[in-house]
Amino acid sequence: MSFETKPSSGHVFWLFGLSGAGKSTLGAGLAGKLRAAGIPVLALDGDALRQGLCAGLGYSDEDRAENLRRAAETAKLGLASGLCVVASFITPLQCHRDLVTGIIGRNYLSLIYLDAPFEVCRRRDAKGLYARAASGQVQQMTGVSSGFEAPTVPDLLLHTGADEIAASMAQVLAFARSRLSGNKL
Ligand SMILES: Nc1ncnc2c1ncn2[C@@H]1O[C@H](COP(=O)(O)OP(=O)(O)OP(=O)(O)O)[C@@H](O)[C@H]1O
Ligand SMILES: [Mg+2]
């Protein structure tokens, strides 16, 4: 029995970028729109996985890779079940993006980069992490004490540091529509 069965309608939308770039905000928005259109969705968010499936992993490059490997394998199972997957993970290094791509494959994966400048994310500090990193309470903070490599050619680039949420949502929705032709989205 093969586990390589190709899904007919699923797709993985993998949102990545700095903490505070808007992955969870846009990921939840996209998942909601897909569901409202009757498209079954598996939503995977970094914070939720780290509370369960990936509990015990830290933030070294290696642990981040293992976190992402588990996330990508989960996404692949969702895809094989015909689901759309919306995955929101920092995915900081090119080798991490390559790992995800190697697991899921290129055909049903879109890598969506949320490009918000570090200073904007630090000022937003949506979860207070940048303040805690500055005072030494958080180690290996992406963009502070742990690396982030901007991608060269993402499938979609969103300027979430400058654009309003509604504008970014409209762009990601239009992109999703283009990848899910045949579905009413
Ligand atoms: N264009 C935009 N797209 C998304 N979020 C935006 C945008 N403009 C402003 N924001 C704000 O930026 C913040 C992004 O926070 P969010 O929790 O979504 O980031 P995140 O990328 O999931 O971070 P983390 O990696 O820490 O989970 C929210 O407060 C959101 O309202
Ligand atoms: Mg988030």
Side-chain angles (χ1 to χ4, degrees):
M1 180 178 168
S2 165
F3 288 96
E4 292 303 313
T5 311
K6 293 296 179 206
S8 56
S9 57
H11 196 87
V12 179
F13 299 97
W14 193 281
L15 281 56
F16 71 101
L18 289 172
S19 176
K23 302 178 295 297
S24 296
T25 302
L26 296 184
L30 176 59
K33 289 284 187 187
L34 291 165
R35 288 194 183 109
I39 298 168
V41 179
L42 172 63
L44 301 173
D45 192 277
D47 285 344
L49 260 73
R50 281 189 175 276
Q51 284 175 20
L53 179 63
C54 300
L57 295 175
Y59 291 85
S60 65
D61 289 347
E62 294 72 22
D63 274 13
R64 286 175 190 258
E66 175 58 16
N67 181 49
L68 294 165
R69 188 189 68 78
R70 293 182 199 181
E73 290 287 358
T74 307
K76 187 179 175 184
L77 292 173
L79 194 56
S81 300
L83 304 177
C84 268
V85 182
V86 179
S88 306
F89 295 87
I90 295 175
T91 330
L93 304 180
Q94 187 56 48
C95 66
H96 293 146
R97 271 102 64 179
D98 291 345
L99 174 70
V100 167
T101 304
I103 291 168
I104 299 170
R106 270 322 271 149
N107 289 352
Y108 297 96
L109 169 68
S110 294
L111 292 168
I112 301 174
Y113 177 38
L114 278 54
D115 184 6
F118 173 80
E119 267 312 311
V120 173
C121 295
R122 194 184 60 77
R123 270 201 308 277
R124 281 180 184 163
D125 210 4
K127 295 193 285 195
L129 284 173
Y130 288 98
R132 289 171 61 214
S135 64
Q137 291 169 270
V138 169
Q139 312 293 320
Q140 296 174 308
M141 177 76 192
T142 311
V144 179
S145 45
S146 186
F148 185 90
E149 297 169 352
T152 45
V153 204
D155 297 309
L156 176 67
L157 172 65
L158 298 174
H159 295 286
T160 55
D163 295 342
E164 298 290 335
I165 295 176
S168 298
M169 262 312 301
Q171 287 176 57
V172 78
L173 257 180
F175 178 82
R177 268 186 206 108
S178 75
R179 293 294 148 120
L180 296 173
S181 52
N183 273 303
K184 291 194 210 94
L185 175 61

